[in-house]
PDB file of all heavy atoms in Angstrom:
ATOM      1  N   ALA T   1      61.650  13.160 -87.222  1.00 77.00           N
ATOM      2  CA  ALA T   1      62.309  14.281 -87.913  1.00 77.00           C
ATOM      3  C   ALA T   1      63.444  13.779 -88.799  1.00 77.00           C
ATOM      4  O   ALA T   1      63.555  14.179 -89.966  1.00 77.00           O
ATOM      5  CB  ALA T   1      62.834  15.271 -86.885  1.00 77.00           C
ATOM      6  N   ILE T   2      64.303  12.898 -88.266  1.00 85.00           N
ATOM      7  CA  ILE T   2      65.385  12.342 -89.080  1.00 85.00           C
ATOM      8  C   ILE T   2      64.806  11.502 -90.215  1.00 85.00           C
ATOM      9  O   ILE T   2      65.355  11.440 -91.315  1.00 85.00           O
ATOM     10  CB  ILE T   2      66.327  11.485 -88.206  1.00 85.00           C
ATOM     11  CG1 ILE T   2      67.035  12.366 -87.170  1.00 85.00           C
ATOM     12  CG2 ILE T   2      67.353  10.751 -89.063  1.00 85.00           C
ATOM     13  CD1 ILE T   2      67.920  13.441 -87.759  1.00 85.00           C
ATOM     14  N   GLY T   3      63.661  10.876 -89.946  1.00 81.00           N
ATOM     15  CA  GLY T   3      63.017  10.098 -90.982  1.00 81.00           C
ATOM     16  C   GLY T   3      62.708  10.930 -92.217  1.00 81.00           C
ATOM     17  O   GLY T   3      62.773  10.418 -93.351  1.00 81.00           O
ATOM     18  N   TYR T   4      62.407  12.204 -92.019  1.00 77.00           N
ATOM     19  CA  TYR T   4      62.080  13.034 -93.175  1.00 77.00           C
ATOM     20  C   TYR T   4      63.302  13.374 -94.009  1.00 77.00           C
ATOM     21  O   TYR T   4      63.178  13.818 -95.150  1.00 77.00           O
ATOM     22  CB  TYR T   4      61.318  14.279 -92.727  1.00 77.00           C
ATOM     23  CG  TYR T   4      59.889  13.932 -92.387  1.00 77.00           C
ATOM     24  CD1 TYR T   4      59.430  13.951 -91.080  1.00 77.00           C
ATOM     25  CD2 TYR T   4      59.015  13.510 -93.375  1.00 77.00           C
ATOM     26  CE1 TYR T   4      58.134  13.587 -90.768  1.00 77.00           C
ATOM     27  CE2 TYR T   4      57.716  13.143 -93.078  1.00 77.00           C
ATOM     28  CZ  TYR T   4      57.281  13.178 -91.768  1.00 77.00           C
ATOM     29  OH  TYR T   4      56.002  12.807 -91.481  1.00 77.00           O
ATOM     30  N   ILE T   5      64.504  13.145 -93.462  1.00 85.00           N
ATOM     31  CA  ILE T   5      65.687  13.210 -94.316  1.00 85.00           C
ATOM     32  C   ILE T   5      65.619  12.086 -95.348  1.00 85.00           C
ATOM     33  O   ILE T   5      66.035  12.245 -96.498  1.00 85.00           O
ATOM     34  CB  ILE T   5      66.971  13.108 -93.467  1.00 85.00           C
ATOM     35  CG1 ILE T   5      67.070  14.310 -92.516  1.00 85.00           C
ATOM     36  CG2 ILE T   5      68.198  13.018 -94.354  1.00 85.00           C
ATOM     37  CD1 ILE T   5      68.248  14.254 -91.573  1.00 85.00           C
ATOM     38  N   GLY T   6      65.049  10.944 -94.921  1.00 87.00           N
ATOM     39  CA  GLY T   6      64.823   9.860 -95.873  1.00 87.00           C
ATOM     40  C   GLY T   6      63.856  10.261 -96.970  1.00 87.00           C
ATOM     41  O   GLY T   6      64.009   9.851 -98.130  1.00 87.00           O
ATOM     42  N   SER T   7      62.873  11.070 -96.623  1.00 82.00           N
ATOM     43  CA  SER T   7      61.958  11.575 -97.640  1.00 82.00           C
ATOM     44  C   SER T   7      62.690  12.463 -98.643  1.00 82.00           C
ATOM     45  O   SER T   7      62.488  12.357 -99.850  1.00 82.00           O
ATOM     46  CB  SER T   7      60.827  12.374 -96.971  1.00 82.00           C
ATOM     47  OG  SER T   7      60.075  11.564 -96.103  1.00 82.00           O
ATOM     48  N   ALA T   8      63.549  13.348 -98.120  1.00 85.00           N
ATOM     49  CA  ALA T   8      64.333  14.206 -98.999  1.00 85.00           C
ATOM     50  C   ALA T   8      65.274  13.374 -99.871  1.00 85.00           C
ATOM     51  O   ALA T   8      65.457  13.665-101.060  1.00 85.00           O
ATOM     52  CB  ALA T   8      65.128  15.218 -98.174  1.00 85.00           C
ATOM     53  N   LEU T   9      65.855  12.325 -99.276  1.00 90.00           N
ATOM     54  CA  LEU T   9      66.726  11.437-100.047  1.00 90.00           C
ATOM     55  C   LEU T   9      65.951  10.757-101.162  1.00 90.00           C
ATOM     56  O   LEU T   9      66.431  10.639-102.302  1.00 90.00           O
ATOM     57  CB  LEU T   9      67.344  10.391 -99.109  1.00 90.00           C
ATOM     58  CG  LEU T   9      68.171   9.288 -99.779  1.00 90.00           C
ATOM     59  CD1 LEU T   9      69.387   9.880-100.471  1.00 90.00           C
ATOM     60  CD2 LEU T   9      68.591   8.243 -98.744  1.00 90.00           C
ATOM     61  N   ALA T  10      64.727  10.293-100.838  1.00 90.00           N
ATOM     62  CA  ALA T  10      63.892   9.644-101.857  1.00 90.00           C
ATOM     63  C   ALA T  10      63.587  10.593-102.998  1.00 90.00           C
ATOM     64  O   ALA T  10      63.632  10.208-104.184  1.00 90.00           O
ATOM     65  CB  ALA T  10      62.598   9.141-101.214  1.00 90.00           C
ATOM     66  N   LEU T  11      63.271  11.845-102.673  1.00 86.00           N
ATOM     67  CA  LEU T  11      63.023  12.835-103.718  1.00 86.00           C
ATOM     68  C   LEU T  11      64.265  13.064-104.555  1.00 86.00           C
ATOM     69  O   LEU T  11      64.200  13.161-105.795  1.00 86.00           O
ATOM     70  CB  LEU T  11      62.567  14.149-103.102  1.00 86.00           C
ATOM     71  CG  LEU T  11      61.114  14.270-102.686  1.00 86.00           C
ATOM     72  CD1 LEU T  11      60.867  15.640-102.071  1.00 86.00           C
ATOM     73  CD2 LEU T  11      60.186  14.062-103.882  1.00 86.00           C
ATOM     74  N   GLY T  12      65.416  13.169-103.896  1.00 90.00           N
ATOM     75  CA  GLY T  12      66.664  13.384-104.622  1.00 90.00           C
ATOM     76  C   GLY T  12      66.969  12.252-105.582  1.00 90.00           C
ATOM     77  O   GLY T  12      67.410  12.469-106.720  1.00 90.00           O
ATOM     78  N   ILE T  13      66.738  11.022-105.124  1.00 93.00           N
ATOM     79  CA  ILE T  13      66.942   9.856-105.999  1.00 93.00           C
ATOM     80  C   ILE T  13      66.042   9.959-107.222  1.00 93.00           C
ATOM     81  O   ILE T  13      66.474   9.730-108.357  1.00 93.00           O
ATOM     82  CB  ILE T  13      66.660   8.555-105.217  1.00 93.00           C
ATOM     83  CG1 ILE T  13      67.776   8.312-104.202  1.00 93.00           C
ATOM     84  CG2 ILE T  13      66.519   7.364-106.165  1.00 93.00           C
ATOM     85  CD1 ILE T  13      67.495   7.172-103.239  1.00 93.00           C
ATOM     86  N   GLY T  14      64.767  10.310-106.991  1.00 90.00           N
ATOM     87  CA  GLY T  14      63.839  10.422-108.106  1.00 90.00           C
ATOM     88  C   GLY T  14      64.191  11.534-109.064  1.00 90.00           C
ATOM     89  O   GLY T  14      64.152  11.355-110.299  1.00 90.00           O
ATOM     90  N   VAL T  15      64.535  12.697-108.521  1.00 88.00           N
ATOM     91  CA  VAL T  15      64.876  13.847-109.369  1.00 88.00           C
ATOM     92  C   VAL T  15      66.074  13.533-110.247  1.00 88.00           C
ATOM     93  O   VAL T  15      66.126  13.899-111.433  1.00 88.00           O
ATOM     94  CB  VAL T  15      65.152  15.093-108.493  1.00 88.00           C
ATOM     95  CG1 VAL T  15      65.794  16.195-109.316  1.00 88.00           C
ATOM     96  CG2 VAL T  15      63.859  15.583-107.863  1.00 88.00           C
ATOM     97  N   TYR T  16      67.060  12.835-109.683  1.00 92.00           N
ATOM     98  CA  TYR T  16      68.264  12.538-110.470  1.00 92.00           C
ATOM     99  C   TYR T  16      68.044  11.391-111.455  1.00 92.00           C
ATOM    100  O   TYR T  16      68.412  11.485-112.632  1.00 92.00           O
ATOM    101  CB  TYR T  16      69.419  12.185-109.527  1.00 92.00           C
ATOM    102  CG  TYR T  16      70.699  11.852-110.266  1.00 92.00           C
ATOM    103  CD1 TYR T  16      71.494  12.862-110.787  1.00 92.00           C
ATOM    104  CD2 TYR T  16      71.071  10.525-110.478  1.00 92.00           C
ATOM    105  CE1 TYR T  16      72.664  12.556-111.496  1.00 92.00           C
ATOM    106  CE2 TYR T  16      72.230  10.212-111.178  1.00 92.00           C
ATOM    107  CZ  TYR T  16      73.015  11.229-111.680  1.00 92.00           C
ATOM    108  OH  TYR T  16      74.150  10.930-112.394  1.00 92.00           O
ATOM    109  N   LEU T  17      67.450  10.307-111.007  1.00 92.00           N
ATOM    110  CA  LEU T  17      67.370   9.090-111.833  1.00 92.00           C
ATOM    111  C   LEU T  17      66.203   9.061-112.810  1.00 92.00           C
ATOM    112  O   LEU T  17      66.314   8.466-113.890  1.00 92.00           O
ATOM    113  CB  LEU T  17      67.312   7.850-110.940  1.00 92.00           C
ATOM    114  CG  LEU T  17      68.610   7.395-110.279  1.00 92.00           C
ATOM    115  CD1 LEU T  17      68.352   6.151-109.434  1.00 92.00           C
ATOM    116  CD2 LEU T  17      69.670   7.092-111.325  1.00 92.00           C
ATOM    117  N   LEU T  18      65.067   9.653-112.435  1.00 88.00           N
ATOM    118  CA  LEU T  18      63.875   9.507-113.275  1.00 88.00           C
ATOM    119  C   LEU T  18      64.092   9.974-114.708  1.00 88.00           C
ATOM    120  O   LEU T  18      63.787   9.231-115.656  1.00 88.00           O
ATOM    121  CB  LEU T  18      62.689  10.230-112.621  1.00 88.00           C
ATOM    122  CG  LEU T  18      61.332   9.999-113.272  1.00 88.00           C
ATOM    123  CD1 LEU T  18      60.996   8.495-113.307  1.00 88.00           C
ATOM    124  CD2 LEU T  18      60.247  10.756-112.514  1.00 88.00           C
ATOM    125  N   PRO T  19      64.618  11.180-114.931  1.00 89.00           N
ATOM    126  CA  PRO T  19      64.811  11.594-116.326  1.00 89.00           C
ATOM    127  C   PRO T  19      65.951  10.868-117.035  1.00 89.00           C
ATOM    128  O   PRO T  19      66.015  10.865-118.269  1.00 89.00           O
ATOM    129  CB  PRO T  19      65.111  13.093-116.210  1.00 89.00           C
ATOM    130  CG  PRO T  19      65.668  13.250-114.838  1.00 89.00           C
ATOM    131  CD  PRO T  19      64.976  12.257-113.985  1.00 89.00           C
ATOM    132  N   ARG T  20      66.835  10.245-116.270  1.00 89.00           N
ATOM    133  CA  ARG T  20      68.008   9.592-116.859  1.00 89.00           C
ATOM    134  C   ARG T  20      67.822   8.093-117.089  1.00 89.00           C
ATOM    135  O   ARG T  20      68.343   7.533-118.054  1.00 89.00           O
ATOM    136  CB  ARG T  20      69.234   9.808-115.956  1.00 89.00           C
ATOM    137  CG  ARG T  20      69.695  11.252-115.876  1.00 89.00           C
ATOM    138  CD  ARG T  20      70.759  11.448-114.800  1.00 89.00           C
ATOM    139  NE  ARG T  20      71.311  12.798-114.816  1.00 89.00           N
ATOM    140  CZ  ARG T  20      70.744  13.837-114.228  1.00 89.00           C
ATOM    141  NH1 ARG T  20      69.593  13.683-113.574  1.00 89.00           N
ATOM    142  NH2 ARG T  20      71.309  15.022-114.296  1.00 89.00           N
ATOM    143  N   ALA T  21      67.092   7.445-116.169  1.00 87.00           N
ATOM    144  CA  ALA T  21      67.032   5.982-116.245  1.00 87.00           C
ATOM    145  C   ALA T  21      65.625   5.408-116.098  1.00 87.00           C
ATOM    146  O   ALA T  21      65.441   4.212-116.279  1.00 87.00           O
ATOM    147  CB  ALA T  21      67.949   5.383-115.169  1.00 87.00           C
ATOM    148  N   GLY T  22      64.630   6.225-115.746  1.00 88.00           N
ATOM    149  CA  GLY T  22      63.262   5.760-115.663  1.00 88.00           C
ATOM    150  C   GLY T  22      62.863   5.254-114.283  1.00 88.00           C
ATOM    151  O   GLY T  22      63.663   5.210-113.340  1.00 88.00           O
ATOM    152  N   TYR T  23      61.603   4.863-114.192  1.00 91.00           N
ATOM    153  CA  TYR T  23      61.015   4.508-112.898  1.00 91.00           C
ATOM    154  C   TYR T  23      61.630   3.251-112.279  1.00 91.00           C
ATOM    155  O   TYR T  23      61.815   3.183-111.068  1.00 91.00           O
ATOM    156  CB  TYR T  23      59.507   4.331-113.054  1.00 91.00           C
ATOM    157  CG  TYR T  23      58.730   5.618-113.012  1.00 91.00           C
ATOM    158  CD1 TYR T  23      58.343   6.247-114.186  1.00 91.00           C
ATOM    159  CD2 TYR T  23      58.371   6.199-111.803  1.00 91.00           C
ATOM    160  CE1 TYR T  23      57.619   7.437-114.147  1.00 91.00           C
ATOM    161  CE2 TYR T  23      57.654   7.390-111.760  1.00 91.00           C
ATOM    162  CZ  TYR T  23      57.287   7.993-112.932  1.00 91.00           C
ATOM    163  OH  TYR T  23      56.578   9.178-112.888  1.00 91.00           O
ATOM    164  N   ALA T  24      61.916   2.237-113.092  1.00 91.00           N
ATOM    165  CA  ALA T  24      62.458   0.995-112.538  1.00 91.00           C
ATOM    166  C   ALA T  24      63.761   1.263-111.793  1.00 91.00           C
ATOM    167  O   ALA T  24      63.994   0.716-110.692  1.00 91.00           O
ATOM    168  CB  ALA T  24      62.669  -0.035-113.646  1.00 91.00           C
ATOM    169  N   ALA T  25      64.611   2.112-112.362  1.00 94.00           N
ATOM    170  CA  ALA T  25      65.876   2.452-111.702  1.00 94.00           C
ATOM    171  C   ALA T  25      65.635   3.210-110.413  1.00 94.00           C
ATOM    172  O   ALA T  25      66.354   3.025-109.417  1.00 94.00           O
ATOM    173  CB  ALA T  25      66.754   3.273-112.657  1.00 94.00           C
TER     174      ALA T  25
END
């Protein structure tokens, strides 16, 4: 269950960084 907080964190990282810095970031 706590592991899925990591999933939410991963999504948050992607939502924030993808449009600003791209996939490599």
